[in-house]
Amino acid sequence: MRSATVFRISVMKTLLATTLLLATASLHAGLSEEDFRNPPADALPSALWTWLNGHFDHRQITRELEEMKDKGMRGALIWDVGALSNPDGMIPAGPQFLGPESLKAIHHAMDEAERLGLELGLFASSSWNAGGTWITPKDGSKALLISEVKVQGPHAYSEVLPLPEKTTEHHEDVAVLAVPDDSDKTVASVETSVRLDKHLSDDGTLTWQVPEGSWRILRFVSNNTGEFLNCPSPNSKGLVIDHLSREATDSYMIHILDKLKEGRDGYGPMKILMLDSYEVRPGIDWTPDFIAEFTKHNGYDPTPWLPVLAGWTVASEEFSERFRHDYRKMVSDLMVDNHFARCRELLNERGLKLMAEGGHGGHPRVDPLKALGAADIPMGEFWNHRKNWVTKEAASAANIYGRKYVASESFTGWQNWQDGPADLKRLFDIALCAGLNQVVFHTFSHNPPEAGRPGFAYHAGEHFNVNNTWWPYAGPMLEDMSRACHLLQQGRFVADVCVYYGDEAPNLVPARRIAPTIESQWPDDHCAHCGILKPVNLDSLGHGHDYDYVNEQVLLERMRVRDGRLVLPDGMNYRLLVLPDRETISLAVLRRIGELVKAGATVSGRMPLRSNSLKGYPDCDREVRELAAEIWGACDGDKVKSASHGKGRVFWNVSLDEVLAELDVPPAFIVENQANKNREIDFIHRETDDEDIYLVANTTMEHQSVICRFRAAEGRVPSLWQAQDGSVTPCHVYQDEDGFVKLPLELPPASSVFVVFRNEDRDHHLVRLDSQNGALRITGREPSAFTAVAHRSGSYAYRTAGGYEGSVTVDVPDDRIIDGPWTLSFPEDSGAPPAAEMERLADWTESSDPGIRYFSGTAIYRKSFTLSDPPPAGEVVLDIGTVREVAAVRVNGMEAGILWKEPFSTNIGHLLKAGENRLEIAVTNVWNNRIVGDLQPDAAKSFARTNLKGKFRANTPLRSSGLLGPVKLRFPMSVNLPTQP
């Protein structure tokens, strides 16, 4: 067991100069410790409950819901989806999604969830994207297609214009334009093109007197793409809707809502409908009223500019890019308003909520913050051993649009039963620090009895369900997740900086971090998730200041200035607004920036030179120049790097940490005794009216002894809140220093702790405790003394609040190693022998017995040991060393805890007795090894059944398994600390 790092004089300068506080009792009107120990339902994890191929079993639906309830889940989102891996038709084809039999099963799940007090949701399609069997071509996805014909004039032309390739029977003409033929595909101006729509007959014949010269005739056609859902169950193949059309959204969503309520009084436990990431094939997005909507919103007719969408340059590359900007922004606005916002409106009218992955996964077309902000619950995703991390985007959207919850499609990937819960903990903590506060497991596959074990599984995800080997022991991990999410649902996120990422569409909030097991394949100035150039460079911000991204809508409609802070209606506030390093800007945004700075805001960014749009051109450019000159004044980013405007200031070409220092905004969190270059020690900060809440996470696989500095409201006292067991303990050792609090933390590998600062009573019961050689743990208080417990020998000095100084020397007994032999028993029909003797603890995969080497499941280690004397008072810690993956401990027939992450230790003092003591450790590994064992050339029998066996090979690496130890007992020593002479 690693020993605690000493909080030494050299670090803290002098012991007597430190203010080391122990709080003994307090009353709080803020955070509830009881709610932390037993979090409410909205903090509990849920899961995407895949009904593969639409196949289901009513009795198993009931069983799985009961298991979810038992392990501490909130519920699940039903997801009818096709099985991409289905060898020999292993998974039967179920009925059509939302057909009579499907609806009967969904209603059964609703009834059972209501009985159990669980919440249900529904993936709003069979697979993704939005669409279904009931969608007609009229409401199907649309794209603009273009054909070209070259003609020579003068000439009387009368021919049927060819339709573009891939045109379906469901199409209509949008425009016909003739442009002068040019090998570089350049048109001098919009006036150069000739509009020919009126010369086109219903059968497609164009009659036109071609002028002198060579011309290209461009026919623009709105075409139903015929695109179907990505991976529907076999009987649920349907069209994807036109996401730009309000009518199509209504046809799609109202059908689902009416079906769910069919024959029922209401929706009962069905609370959420979910939209997945937008993965409609790339194309020139279109909808029948696009021209009219574009003209209304932008003030000019886009028709003469349509050749730009066909790859032509009109007027100049700059003007063509302005039109492309306006076109993409119009697509985004139509999609957000007519799909995401409309879906939410329809759901909210019926008392339901929308959860949506509106961000930059898949093939995005939108301003992701606006799309995510249109949902009740913005949703991101994070993957295991993969680069797909977009949770920060969903968190920013929640913060700037006043949403409480930040969900994420969690632990997606292709690990296929290779990881245990400790592996997930590391990813979970990184996602929490990015803003996650609602877990949605990807995925929990429904498994009728005929599926076998591990059974049916979706092709991607962690396959977290009742057939997982360690499912019986998943409760403590879920409790840890629930407590963490509960605390991170309280109060407001604390960020010093808001980052405007422009009004482009699509856009992105770059991944804050990605899975630590892989390296980014792109340079640092590109998003590690998708490789796109970051819209804003935040390198000079450092890790101690957190941030949100903001978009045009929030700047224009929600942001105000109060006392120099940029504030939003829901309480979010920032000290600094950062702009992209671009010469162009939205005129509306620049106007707003001018108003904000004049009112007292601080802005960092270059002075823009022109508009990025054709809207209002050329006056828009003139106004940009005039406004920018007024705001930035003499600030040129070279000789003059800052300027005042009204009550506020602008900075240009000054590092962000310098700007914040000038604003007297120090970092919120710093690790003082290490560089922390890659956020190995990560954090997130939230605040309520009464508390500062910090999560500090060690995202390395090594034990870390760190000294952390926190920015917290004056007078608040730290305490440690442990999500793993719900305990809240005083922070024994800390130092107040110039408005900050320093404290040492011992962080096991892949672990985290909440440091909560509250307004505590500081009366004569407080003890200031200094450690010269390790730390004492205070366990209680007597009228004139504190009782401390040490697990390490050493000398300890302490002072009382009244100034009394004392010291105590503690002599702790040595650890007792519990040596072999061990008796190991295995379950029947697992391929392993019934029992085995182990002289020493060893990895199962090193066994010469293939039944043990390839075993997957739970095996029980048994051993007896003798205590000659009664166990000492206080904790006796059983430390079992290293375990792969989960251990359930029993001592003398009584439960002693489930151990699923480091440190693998538990208090068993209350279970011990003098004389012989019986120790049982049930250890569970993962399915990987048994599946690989089944594929060995000499394997006589298969013990695992799954549709994903094809993902494995005989030489797939085995996962280290079993109890590896060493196993030992750590005995404590209690001591009274007098608090007065």
Side-chain angles (χ1 to χ4, degrees):
M1 182 68 181
R2 297 179 178 89
S3 61
T5 297
V6 177
F7 198 48
R8 296 184 184 278
I9 295 176
S10 60
V11 175
M12 300 306 293
K13 297 184 180 178
T14 66
L15 283 172
L16 292 178
T18 60
T19 308
L20 304 167
L21 300 178
L22 172 67
T24 62
S26 60
L27 297 174
H28 306 285
L31 292 180
S32 163
E33 295 183 16
E34 176 58 31
D35 284 348
F36 177 62
R37 284 188 290 272
N38 299 290
D42 58 357
L44 309 185
S46 64
L48 299 181
W49 191 13
T50 50
W51 294 9
L52 293 169
N53 279 357
H55 177 58
F56 48 76
D57 178 273
H58 284 241
R59 298 177 76 177
Q60 185 67 5
I61 286 172
T62 294
R63 176 179 175 246
E64 288 174 357
L65 287 169
E66 289 174 343
E67 287 290 322
M68 292 178 198
K69 178 70 174 182
D70 179 70
K71 298 301 182 291
M73 294 180 67
R74 181 170 78 254
L77 292 95
I78 299 169
W79 186 13
D80 182 294
V81 65
L84 291 179
S85 298
N86 192 21
D88 302 321
M90 179 185 293
I91 306 175
Q96 183 183 103
F97 178 57
L98 294 182
E101 290 303 311
S102 168
L103 202 58
K104 184 178 179 181
I106 293 171
H107 285 166
H108 171 70
M110 292 167 66
D111 291 338
E112 291 296 85
E114 190 158 38
R115 174 178 67 84
L116 294 165
L118 293 174
E119 175 186 289
L120 281 186
L122 180 71
F123 216 95
S125 59
S126 178
S127 78
W128 70 101
N129 289 108
T133 53
W134 60 94
I135 300 301
T136 64
K138 171 182 173 294
D139 292 323
S141 176
K142 310 287 194 303
L144 188 68
L145 302 181
I146 304 114
S147 65
E148 288 190 11
V149 174
K150 185 176 180 179
V151 296
Q152 190 71 32
H155 173 61
Y157 184 86
S158 182
E159 295 184 24
V160 174
L161 286 181
L163 287 167
E165 291 184 11
K166 300 181 180 179
T167 301
T168 68
E169 60 177 313
H170 304 287
H171 68 271
E172 60 182 28
D173 283 289
V174 172
V176 179
L177 296 175
V179 297
D181 187 20
D182 183 88
S183 59
D184 293 329
K185 300 186 74 171
T186 298
V187 181
S189 70
V190 290
E191 291 79 13
T192 308
S193 61
V194 180
R195 186 80 178 264
L196 300 177
D197 306 26
K198 62 184 178 182
H199 302 294
L200 189 70
S201 65
D202 291 344
D203 67 355
T205 299
L206 177 68
T207 303
W208 178 46
Q209 188 63 43
V210 183
E212 180 75 29
S214 181
W215 295 81
R216 296 277 185 103
I217 300 173
L218 307 181
R219 184 179 185 182
F220 297 88
V221 174
S222 174
N223 181 64
N224 187 290
T225 64
E227 183 166 352
F228 290 97
L229 298 167
N230 273 267
C231 181
S233 54
N235 291 307
S236 305
K237 183 178 179 180
L239 290 172
V240 169
I241 69 166
D242 176 358
H243 286 71
L244 280 62
S245 165
R246 180 184 175 99
E247 291 73 20
T249 294
D250 284 2
S251 175
Y252 152 74
M253 185 55 76
I254 291 174
H255 176 88
I256 297 175
L257 293 169
D258 287 349
K259 282 291 182 181
L260 287 176
K261 198 176 177 182
E262 200 170 88
R264 302 176 70 86
D265 293 334
Y267 297 99
M270 185 68 69
K271 305 296 184 184
I272 291 171
L273 265 65
M274 177 184 160
L275 300 174
D276 201 2
S277 54
Y278 188 78
E279 298 181 22
V280 175
R281 288 191 296 267
I284 304 174
D285 297 296
W286 204 257
T287 197
D289 59 353
F290 188 90
I291 296 286
E293 288 293 318
F294 185 99
T295 303
K296 180 173 70 175
H297 284 83
N298 292 280
Y300 70 94
D301 183 0
T303 307
W305 295 92
L306 291 181
V308 171
L309 303 181
W312 288 69
T313 300
V314 176
S316 70
E317 179 52 39
E318 177 194 325
F319 287 108
S320 296
E321 180 53 36
R322 290 186 186 219
F323 171 70
R324 283 191 288 266
H325 166 273
D326 292 346
Y327 161 77
R328 292 190 293 255
K329 189 174 179 180
M330 191 73 248
V331 169
S332 172
D333 286 346
L334 288 173
M335 190 176 295
V336 173
D337 294 342
N338 292 339
H339 182 60
F340 291 105
R342 180 57 177 161
C343 281
R344 181 185 179 216
E345 181 181 4
L346 291 169
L347 290 169
N348 289 177
E349 288 172 354
R350 293 158 175 80
L352 304 176
K353 292 183 178 180
L354 174 66
M355 176 185 285
E357 291 188 35
H360 79 284
H363 304 298
R365 270 70 148 184
V366 295
D367 169 347
L369 292 175
K370 188 175 182 181
L372 287 161
D376 295 293
I377 305 174
M379 189 178 199
E381 58 184 304
F382 65 94
W383 288 49
N384 188 3
H385 293 277
R386 306 288 296 181
K387 64 181 178 61
N388 308 63
W389 282 66
V390 292
T391 297
K392 181 64 176 177
E393 191 170 74
S396 282
N399 295 333
I400 64 178
Y401 281 95
R403 308 289 185 250
K404 179 177 179 179
Y405 304 115
V406 180
S408 225
E409 172 191 307
S410 304
F411 311 112
T412 317
W414 287 287
Q415 286 300 99
N416 295 318
W417 301 293
Q418 294 182 60
D419 289 344
D423 298 287
L424 306 188
K425 170 66 174 174
R426 185 185 189 191
L427 302 177
F428 173 64
D429 283 341
I430 294 173
L432 289 178
C433 291
L436 171 74
N437 64 21
Q438 263 197 355
V439 172
V440 182
F441 276 96
H442 187 292
T443 57
F444 188 116
S445 290
H446 173 60
N447 269 265
E450 70 269 18
R453 297 181 69 233
F456 302 158
Y458 189 60
H459 74 284
E462 280 310 306
H463 316 319
F464 178 72
N465 66 357
V466 298
N467 283 357
N468 196 310
T469 51
W470 47 270
W471 171 260
Y473 310 107
M477 181 191 76
L478 297 179
E479 290 173 359
D480 179 280
M481 291 178 173
S482 301
R483 295 185 184 112
C485 286
H486 171 66
L487 280 190
L488 294 179
Q489 290 172 2
Q490 308 309 304
R492 299 169 296 276
F493 174 59
V494 178
D496 298 322
V497 174
C498 57
V499 185
Y500 173 58
Y501 70 175
D503 67 333
E504 285 71 25
N507 212 331
L508 78 146
V509 173
R512 185 175 179 272
R513 295 181 66 186
I514 59 174
T517 52
I518 62 173
E519 293 185 4
S520 173
Q521 54 189 297
W522 294 290
D524 290 344
D525 59 349
H526 289 63
C527 174
H529 160 68
C530 63
I532 296 175
L533 185 68
K534 293 178 180 177
V536 184
N537 187 340
L538 296 180
D539 288 348
S540 66
L541 182 61
H543 297 334
H545 296 281
D546 222 329
Y547 58 91
D548 273 327
Y549 274 74
V550 297
N551 61 357
E552 181 183 47
Q553 184 181 44
V554 167
L555 276 174
L556 297 181
E557 300 175 12
R558 292 176 57 81
M559 190 166 280
R560 302 290 183 270
V561 177
R562 185 184 306 128
D563 299 327
R565 291 180 176 271
L566 296 148
V567 298
L568 298 175
D570 311 288
M572 281 301 304
N573 62 89
Y574 313 91
R575 291 300 309 274
L576 177 65
L577 171 63
V578 180
L579 306 180
D581 186 18
R582 298 176 189 154
E583 294 183 349
T584 62
I585 198 168
S586 155
L587 174 57
V589 166
L590 184 61
R591 287 172 179 156
R592 188 67 186 133
I593 288 172
E595 295 168 353
L596 294 172
V597 175
K598 200 168 186 178
T602 302
V603 172
S604 176
R606 66 166 300 144
M607 180 172 67
L609 302 178
R610 62 182 181 275
S611 169
N612 55 4
S613 169
L614 286 175
K615 185 177 183 178
Y617 182 83
D619 290 343
C620 58
D621 281 11
R622 174 186 53 77
E623 189 171 351
V624 165
R625 290 192 299 270
E626 292 173 353
L627 271 172
E630 179 184 344
I631 298 167
W632 270 261
C635 181
D636 60 4
D638 183 16
K639 295 180 180 179
V640 180
K641 296 188 177 182
S642 70
S644 297
H645 177 61
K647 297 180 181 179
R649 295 180 70 187
V650 293
F651 289 84
W652 182 3
N653 200 21
V654 180
S655 69
L656 298 178
D657 56 354
E658 289 180 86
V659 174
L660 289 167
E662 188 156 340
L663 295 174
D664 195 24
V665 182
F669 174 82
I670 291 177
V671 180
E672 293 201 338
N673 61 330
Q674 61 175 254
N676 203 29
K677 181 179 178 182
N678 297 313
R679 299 186 197 263
E680 293 91 352
I681 307 301
D682 213 340
F683 86 102
I684 189 170
H685 180 197
R686 295 184 72 88
E687 64 180 357
T688 70
D689 292 340
D690 301 304
E691 298 100 358
D692 285 277
I693 304 167
Y694 281 88
L695 173 68
V696 180
N698 172 17
T699 64
T700 74
M701 298 309 293
E702 292 79 38
H703 187 98
Q704 299 283 346
S705 299
V706 292
I707 300 170
C708 302
R709 190 181 78 168
F710 300 85
R711 192 176 73 202
E714 186 176 355
R716 291 179 179 173
V717 177
S719 54
L720 304 181
W721 297 48
Q722 300 285 357
Q724 65 183 12
D725 59 9
S727 64
V728 177
T729 58
C731 186
H732 306 142
V733 180
Y734 71 96
Q735 176 187 19
D736 291 318
E737 184 182 88
D738 299 328
F740 294 89
V741 178
K742 283 185 183 180
L743 57 89
L745 291 174
E746 297 296 328
L747 299 173
S751 70
S752 60
V753 63
F754 283 92
V755 183
V756 177
F757 295 83
R758 299 186 288 185
N759 297 313
E760 303 276 4
D761 294 331
R762 298 191 180 202
D763 59 17
H764 65 280
H765 296 305
L766 293 177
V767 170
R768 297 172 181 171
L769 178 67
D770 296 337
S771 168
Q772 292 177 325
N773 186 16
L776 297 179
R777 192 175 72 78
I778 307 302
T779 60
R781 178 174 61 82
E782 298 174 0
S784 62
F786 282 84
T787 301
V789 175
H791 282 92
R792 297 176 58 228
S793 299
S795 298
Y796 301 86
Y798 60 94
R799 294 187 297 139
T800 70
Y804 173 72
E805 298 181 5
S807 63
V808 63
T809 300
V810 183
D811 186 15
V812 178
D814 293 336
D815 294 343
R816 173 172 174 172
I817 304 296
I818 304 178
D819 296 321
W822 296 81
T823 299
L824 185 57
S825 59
F826 295 91
E828 295 180 3
D829 198 29
S830 64
E837 292 291 321
M838 298 186 73
E839 289 298 323
R840 62 176 182 85
L841 296 174
D843 193 322
W844 295 344
T845 65
E846 297 174 358
S847 174
S848 59
D849 186 330
I852 298 176
R853 183 164 65 252
Y854 297 115
F855 173 75
S856 291
T858 300
I860 300 176
Y861 292 78
R862 291 182 174 90
K863 174 167 193 59
S864 295
F865 60 92
T866 301
L867 293 179
S868 56
D869 300 313
E875 290 188 356
V876 176
V877 173
L878 173 68
D879 181 348
I880 62 174
T882 300
V883 178
R884 295 290 183 268
E885 299 297 328
V886 183
V889 179
R890 291 171 63 90
V891 176
N892 294 323
M894 294 174 284
E895 303 292 340
I898 295 171
L899 310 180
W900 60 277
K901 64 182 183 65
E902 293 198 48
F904 291 97
S905 60
T906 184
N907 172 30
I908 62 170
H910 59 297
L911 304 177
L912 294 174
K913 61 183 181 180
E916 185 180 73
N917 291 268
R918 292 176 289 110
L919 175 62
E920 294 182 6
I921 305 175
V923 175
T924 306
N925 67 341
V926 292
W927 273 114
N928 177 83
N929 296 1
R930 184 63 267 166
I931 298 173
V932 174
D934 286 359
L935 297 175
Q936 299 306 304
D938 57 351
K941 179 181 177 181
S942 287
F943 295 92
R945 185 176 191 267
T946 173
N947 59 307
L948 296 188
K949 242 179 187 176
K951 304 287 186 182
F952 296 79
R953 299 290 181 269
N955 60 353
T956 298
L958 298 179
R959 172 80 175 193
S960 176
S961 299
L963 176 60
L964 307 181
V967 178
K968 54 188 177 182
L969 293 174
R970 296 204 312 271
F971 295 96
M973 178 61 70
S974 298
V975 61
N976 286 336
L977 302 179
T979 59
Q980 58 187 18

